[in-house]
Amino acid sequence: MKYVNAFVLMILLASLSLDAHAFGSMGGMGGGGEASVVQGTPLAGKVVETFNGGGYTYVRLERDGKTAWAAIPETSLEVGREVTLKPGMEMQKFFSKALNRTFDSIYFSEGMATQAASTTGKNSAGSKGGVVTPAEKIAVEKAAGANGFTVAELHGNREKLDGKTITVRAKVTKVSAGIMGKNWLHLQDGSGDSSKGSHDLTVTTQDLPAVGEVVTITGTLRKDKDFGGGYRYDAIVEDGTVSH
């Protein structure tokens, strides 16, 4: 195992030494005590159950009809909320003495990855199970230049533009920061069809604009990009640079 984050290491060490710790004793773990670090796929979904114990929050997430348990430092969460957690370690057959409960599978995460969101809808546009629906009427002028496109044009021409540098000007409607070492933006300019998801464009970038800002982004368009875990995009702009 090449990487174990500090929070997970703290949990494992504490569970070895403190019987009263929220995550109990490693001696209660079955299934050979195997653990795996999930670095590439964020833990995301709707909160269907949550409770606190021993300074930590346990949360059961539902996504695409499947559920998964996660544990994070104590955080205020409510049932029905859509959340994205930082990637973490999966422990199988994990027994918690404090809860007197065995989890068939539970992920230990450092906490929330999503920092801001202002749109309605449940999931990232282009991913399985839903699109980001417009929260307001948006009208943004198309980016200038030969490489300037609207959001709808990028979706419609994704086959031809795959791997090419493009520029798009749009309003930031959602920001998810620090996932897989990138910030994930949702952009809308008023073009496209919300029923088909062609009104919303996802961009990965190291920049971090605020929700509500109108920005110009230049990056590489990719079609049919699949990151796993339900994160599949018909069109996505990668390694974007943000200007105003």
Side-chain angles (χ1 to χ4, degrees):
M1 194 177 342
K2 295 182 179 179
Y3 171 78
V4 178
N5 63 50
F7 173 62
V8 172
L9 182 59
M10 177 188 70
I11 291 172
L12 297 180
L13 292 175
S15 62
L16 283 169
S17 58
L18 298 177
D19 288 345
H21 191 276
F23 295 112
S25 170
M26 296 293 286
M29 185 177 3
E34 293 296 324
S36 60
V37 179
V38 183
Q39 299 185 59
T41 303
L43 305 170
K46 182 173 69 174
V47 177
V48 294
E49 183 179 356
T50 183
F51 54 87
N52 295 335
Y56 301 98
T57 294
Y58 296 81
V59 55
R60 185 161 62 94
L61 299 176
E62 181 180 48
R63 184 180 179 88
D64 298 329
K66 299 179 180 180
T67 63
W69 278 101
I72 60 176
E74 190 166 320
T75 304
S76 178
L77 290 177
E78 62 274 4
V79 172
R81 178 178 174 182
E82 294 283 342
V83 300
T84 300
L85 306 180
K86 294 179 181 180
M89 171 183 284
E90 180 187 18
M91 300 294 293
Q92 297 181 349
K93 300 297 181 183
F94 192 90
F95 176 69
S96 166
K97 283 187 176 180
L99 299 176
N100 192 28
R101 176 171 180 170
T102 298
F103 294 90
D104 290 336
S105 171
I106 187 168
Y107 292 86
F108 297 125
S109 165
E110 289 181 319
M112 302 284 287
T114 303
Q115 289 195 345
S118 66
T119 56
T120 58
K122 297 182 177 180
N123 294 311
S124 302
S127 66
K128 297 189 297 183
V131 298
V132 178
T133 55
E136 59 179 305
K137 186 173 182 179
I138 297 173
V140 178
E141 185 176 351
K142 179 179 175 179
N147 293 329
F149 297 89
T150 67
V151 169
E153 287 172 342
L154 291 174
H155 280 282
N157 294 283
R158 61 185 181 274
E159 297 283 344
K160 180 174 65 175
L161 295 174
D162 183 36
K164 298 186 181 301
T165 300
I166 60 86
T167 299
V168 60
R169 183 167 174 80
K171 187 173 185 177
V172 180
T173 60
K174 183 175 182 179
V175 177
S176 297
I179 299 176
M180 294 185 283
K182 305 175 184 179
N183 300 320
W184 297 65
L185 314 180
H186 282 272
L187 302 181
Q188 296 179 17
D189 61 3
S191 67
D193 186 342
S194 61
S195 67
K196 298 178 180 178
S198 61
H199 70 299
D200 188 279
L201 182 69
T202 301
V203 175
T204 64
T205 177
Q206 295 300 318
D207 299 321
L208 192 61
V211 170
E213 284 189 301
V214 173
V215 297
T216 299
I217 292 182
T218 299
T220 303
L221 186 81
R222 301 292 183 186
K223 71 176 183 72
D224 301 328
K225 187 77 173 185
D226 193 344
F227 294 93
Y231 283 77
R232 183 188 178 280
Y233 299 87
D234 293 335
I236 187 172
V237 176
E238 295 190 303
D239 303 319
T241 57
V242 177
S243 60
H244 295 82

